[in-house]
């Protein structure tokens, strides 16, 4: 079997690596970059810092800071117009998953035209795109290393997964110091998101030895450092480890695909506007419990990599221990249920049939060790509520 691997051309990791942004962009031949970010990073002065780094390098940047959580088709319009008026020849995604997803969409749409809905799975786009530089400020989405973007159709509340090499960043700058100010809630949600990426990449039907190594390494590090980063955001060692693990997990799932957790998570975000990492965290223990019988050995490997059980423990015991640890981890970092988050029970129930259909059509559940039926997905949604 041939395994296809796609990764960014190069990456820079470590404290202070953001100071090399100008040289990275110059090295890629970009002269007029569009910096895609959000209002928070702009209001706190971090966007201005990046603009100055670009200007010192002799570049002519423009800023689009109107990205929104869970970017929509409509939220792309002003960004696309700015790409044109500025004559941008590259984009920089600066922020969490939403600014990076927005930057990816702008890079592809500005080079090809059309509606982003035409790029959603199962299609895969490998045509022209502006070069993308990814600068993450959270440790979770892994978007800096993936060939996917996720855009919401505001008319239907469908979160559209848009895959293809054209969405893959060319370069990454992963400076963990940019994550030091993340609040505990965001640290938890993005951290469990990264763990979900690693576990799903490993148990995916499309996993390979290449992705396995990245996924196991990410799991091992997250198990050691997520609670530390949650308890103390100034823990530099934990922050640095989580940043690297997030990128490793992103590389893993970009090349093996995610599975049922993500298939079910996107509709929750689309319909109830829950952050992607948090909706993943709500689902991870229950979906793992649902799936373990179909891949006990793989889930056992996860438990052993995370240090939950010894290498000598049998697969059944190890897989069961993994479920218990995921439940405990989510409790320790205070992951709410949809109900405790504030979602109305009647509204949740009314959308289950649509959400289950959207989960299945995304294709991600087909990668799961145990492929669910429509009704089984509905049962899982009810269980986590």
């Amino acid at each position: 079997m041939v395994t296809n691997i796609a990764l960014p051309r190069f990456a820079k990791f470590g404290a202070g690596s953001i100071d090399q942004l100008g040289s990275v962009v110059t090295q890629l031949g970009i002269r007029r970059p569009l910096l895609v970010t959000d209002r928070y990073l702009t209001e706190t002065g971090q966007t201005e810092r990046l603009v100055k780094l670009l200007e010192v390098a002799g570049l002519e940047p423009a800023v689009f800071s109107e990205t929104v959580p869970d970017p929509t088709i409509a939220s792309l319009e002003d960004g696309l117009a700015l790409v044109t008026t500025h004559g941008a020849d590259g984009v920089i995604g600066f922020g969490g998953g939403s600014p990076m997803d927005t930057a990816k969409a702008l890079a592809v749409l500005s080079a090809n035209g059309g509606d982003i809905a035409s790029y959603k799975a199962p299609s895969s786009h490998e045509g022209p795109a502006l070069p993308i530089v990814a600068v993450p400020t959270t440790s979770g989405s892994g978007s800096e290393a993936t060939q996917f973007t996720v855009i919401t159709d505001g008319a239907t509340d469908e979160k559209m997964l848009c895959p293809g090499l054209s969405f893959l960043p060319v370069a990454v700058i992963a400076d963990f110091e940019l994550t030091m100010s993340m609040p505990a809630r965001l640290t938890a949600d993005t951290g469990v998101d990264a763990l979900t990426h690693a576990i799903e990449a490993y148990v995916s039907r499309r996993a390979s030895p290449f992705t396995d190594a990245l996924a196991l390494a990410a799991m091992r590090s997250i198990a050691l450092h997520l609670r530390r980063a949650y308890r103390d955001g100034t823990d530099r060692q934990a922050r640095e480890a989580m940043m690297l693990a997030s990128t490793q997990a992103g590389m893993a799932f970009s090349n093996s695909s995610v599975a049922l957790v993500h298939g079910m998570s996107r509709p929750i975000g689309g319909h109830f506007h829950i952050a992607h990492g948090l909706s993943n965290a709500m689902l991870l223990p229950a979906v793992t419990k649902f799936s373990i019988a179909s891949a006990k050995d793989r889930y056992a490997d996860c438990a052993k990599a995370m240090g939950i059980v010894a290498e000598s423990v049998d697969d059944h015991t190890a897989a069961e221990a993994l479920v218990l640890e995921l439940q405990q981890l989510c409790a320790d970092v205070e992951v709410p249920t949809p109900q405790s988050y504030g979602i109305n029970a009647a509204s949740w129930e009314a959308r289950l049939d649509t959400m289950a259909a959207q989960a299945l059509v995304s294709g991600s559940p087909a990668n799961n060790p145990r492929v669910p039926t429509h009704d089984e997905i509905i049962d899982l949604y009810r269980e986590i509520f």
Side-chain angles (χ1 to χ4, degrees), residues 161-213:
L161 175 66
C162 304
L165 291 175
S166 301
F167 295 103
L168 181 67
V170 177
V172 179
I173 298 178
D175 186 336
F176 74 88
E177 290 187 331
L178 296 174
T179 72
M180 298 293 289
S181 62
M182 276 200 301
R185 179 74 266 142
L186 184 59
T187 298
D189 296 345
T190 55
V192 179
D193 189 19
L195 180 59
T196 304
H197 293 153
I199 292 174
E200 291 212 299
Y202 190 75
V203 302
S204 168
R205 291 169 179 259
R206 297 173 58 188
S208 70
F210 182 90
T211 59
D212 286 351

Side-chain angles (χ1 to χ4, degrees), residues 232-244:
D232 179 8
T234 65
D235 186 331
R236 291 175 64 85
Q237 184 183 49
R239 289 294 197 191
E240 183 171 22
M242 287 300 300
M243 175 66 89
L244 176 59

Side-chain angles (χ1 to χ4, degrees), residues 13-366:
F13 286 90
S17 55
I18 189 59
D19 293 332
Q20 298 183 37
L21 176 63
S23 63
V24 167
V25 173
T26 300
Q27 183 178 342
L28 295 174
I30 300 170
R31 301 300 303 169
R32 299 180 62 83
L34 178 66
L35 180 62
V36 180
T37 187
D38 58 31
R39 291 184 182 179
Y40 171 77
L41 291 170
T42 300
E43 290 169 356
T44 56
Q46 295 188 66
T47 299
E48 183 181 4
R49 176 188 177 190
L50 266 62
V51 167
K52 288 181 178 178
L53 288 170
L54 294 166
E55 290 177 339
V56 167
L59 306 174
E60 300 177 55
V63 175
F64 177 65
S65 60
E66 301 304 309
T67 64
V68 297
D70 300 321
T72 64
I73 293 173
S75 74
L76 301 176
E77 293 176 358
D78 289 344
L80 282 170
L82 186 53
V83 171
T84 300
T85 57
H86 182 60
D89 55 357
V91 294
I92 302 167
F94 175 50
S98 294
M100 285 191 285
D101 279 351
T102 299
K104 292 178 177 185
L106 296 181
V108 172
L109 288 175
S110 61
N112 299 275
D115 189 300
I116 192 65
S118 65
Y119 296 87
K120 72 178 182 178
S123 69
S124 180
H125 187 69
E126 300 179 0
L130 294 179
I132 305 161
V133 178
V135 183
T137 61
T138 65
S139 299
S141 76
S143 186
E144 68 273 10
T146 73
Q147 50 188 317
F148 307 112
T149 192
V150 179
I151 305 295
T152 299
D153 184 338
T156 63
D157 288 330
E158 177 189 2
K159 273 194 166 186
M160 300 177 293
L161 175 66
C162 304
L165 291 175
S166 301
F167 295 103
L168 181 67
V170 177
V172 179
I173 298 178
D175 186 336
F176 74 88
E177 290 187 331
L178 296 174
T179 72
M180 298 293 289
S181 62
M182 276 200 301
R185 179 74 266 142
L186 184 59
T187 298
D189 296 345
T190 55
V192 179
D193 189 19
L195 180 59
T196 304
H197 293 153
I199 292 174
E200 291 212 299
Y202 190 75
V203 302
S204 168
R205 291 169 179 259
R206 297 173 58 188
S208 70
F210 182 90
T211 59
D212 286 351
L214 288 165
L216 291 170
M219 282 181 241
R220 187 173 299 111
S221 188
I222 293 167
L224 288 171
H225 297 102
L226 175 54
R227 287 180 175 91
R228 283 175 51 181
Y230 177 72
R231 289 192 299 263
D232 179 8
T234 65
D235 186 331
R236 291 175 64 85
Q237 184 183 49
R239 289 294 197 191
E240 183 171 22
M242 287 300 300
M243 175 66 89
L244 176 59
S246 174
T247 302
Q248 289 172 321
M251 290 176 175
F253 89 78
S254 181
N255 290 285
S256 68
S257 192
V258 287
L260 180 56
V261 173
H262 278 72
M264 292 180 63
S265 174
R266 294 186 204 102
I268 294 175
H271 289 272
F272 296 102
H273 308 293
I274 295 178
H276 174 69
L278 178 54
S279 57
N280 275 348
M282 291 173 171
L283 286 157
L284 181 60
V287 171
T288 301
K289 183 178 179 180
F290 169 84
S291 306
I292 56 173
S294 297
K296 281 186 181 177
D297 58 335
R298 303 293 280 182
Y299 286 107
D301 289 344
C302 297
K304 293 170 185 178
M306 292 172 66
I308 301 166
V309 297
E311 289 291 334
S312 59
V313 171
D314 66 273
D315 288 352
H316 175 80
T317 302
E320 293 288 343
L322 175 65
V323 175
L324 294 176
E325 166 60 14
L326 295 179
Q327 292 169 341
Q328 186 61 55
L329 174 63
C330 287
D332 290 346
V333 299
E334 301 178 90
V335 175
T337 65
Q339 185 175 41
S340 65
Y341 185 78
I343 294 175
N344 176 270
S347 296
W348 181 264
E349 186 68 25
R351 288 170 170 80
L352 294 188
D353 188 68
T354 298
M355 292 201 300
Q358 289 177 343
L360 284 171
V361 79
S362 74
S364 297

